[in-house]
Structure formats: structure tokens, C-alpha cells
């Protein structure tokens, strides 16, 4: 109950700020104030789904970038010194 009250107050403050910045008249109502409890549940599920998909996308992008760095890396240089080897290792890890 307390969380809900805090959320409502924060939502109202955000709406007022938005209303002032966009020069909306007071007759325009906050669209989130009319949200039903059922819609709130759907909103939560939707947000969790978007967060999960975003994390998965970021993880896949990181994997692709790592593989591209590995493929671009020239492993067959025979005359490399220790510092060059460490530098190449650092390039792969980045």
C-alpha cells in the first residue's frame, strides 16, 4: 500500500512536470491515472519482458563482437615478442 501511494505521488509529479514542459492545459488528464489494476499487471509483465529481451540482445551482441575480434585476430604471427602477445591478448579480452 505504501509503495503504491509513493508511486502515485511520483507519477503525479512527473505528469505535472510533463504538463508544464509541453504547455498542456489543465483540462488534459493524466492518462496513467485511469489505469485499471488489470492493466497495471500487464504493464509489469510487459516491462519485465522488455528488460529480459534487452539483456538477451546485449548478451548476444557481446558474443558477436567477441567472435568478430577472434576471427580478425592473426594467430599465425611467429615473430611476436611477449609484449605483442600480451597486447593481442588484451585486444581479444576487450
Amino acid at each position: 500500500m505504501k509503495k503504491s501511494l509513493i508511486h502515485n505521488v511520483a507519477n503525479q509529479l512527473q505528469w505535472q512536470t510533463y504538463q508544464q514542459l509541453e504547455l498542456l492545459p489543465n483540462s488534459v488528464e493524466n492518462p496513467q491515472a485511469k489505469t485499471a489494476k488489470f492493466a497495471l499487471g500487464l504493464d509489469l509483465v510487459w516491462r519485465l519482458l522488455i528488460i529480459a529481451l534487452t539483456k538477451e540482445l546485449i548478451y548476444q551482441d557481446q558474443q558477436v563482437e567477441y567472435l568478430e575480434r577472434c576471427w580478425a585476430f592473426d594467430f599465425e604471427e611467429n615473430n611476436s615478442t611477449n609484449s605483442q602477445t600480451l597486447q593481442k591478448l588484451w585486444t581479444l579480452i576487450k
Side-chain angles (χ1 to χ4, degrees):
M1 176 92 179
K2 187 176 181 180
K3 253 186 180 177
S4 176
L5 179 62
I6 292 171
H7 182 328
N8 288 341
V9 170
N11 184 6
Q12 187 62 28
L13 288 173
Q14 287 176 343
W15 172 250
Q16 288 173 351
T17 303
Y18 177 77
Q19 205 173 17
Q20 289 171 354
L21 290 173
E22 294 296 327
L23 303 175
L24 297 174
N26 290 336
S27 60
V28 177
E29 293 183 22
N30 183 351
Q32 290 185 345
K34 296 180 180 180
T35 307
K37 287 185 180 184
F38 178 72
L40 287 176
L42 285 178
D43 183 48
L44 177 63
V45 170
W46 179 252
R47 287 176 190 233
L48 292 175
L49 177 65
I50 294 298
I51 289 169
L53 291 174
T54 303
K55 285 182 180 180
E56 182 66 23
L57 181 62
I58 290 170
Y59 179 69
Q60 287 176 349
D61 284 347
Q62 288 173 348
Q63 285 181 324
V64 169
E65 288 174 4
Y66 176 75
L67 289 174
E68 286 175 347
R69 285 195 310 268
C70 288
W71 290 329
F73 191 72
D74 185 10
F75 287 103
E76 297 190 9
E77 281 187 19
N78 295 329
N79 298 331
S80 62
T81 63
N82 285 341
S83 64
Q84 289 174 335
T85 303
L86 290 175
Q87 190 175 23
K88 289 178 184 179
L89 177 63
W90 178 249
T91 302
L92 280 177
I93 293 173
K94 279 199 295 187

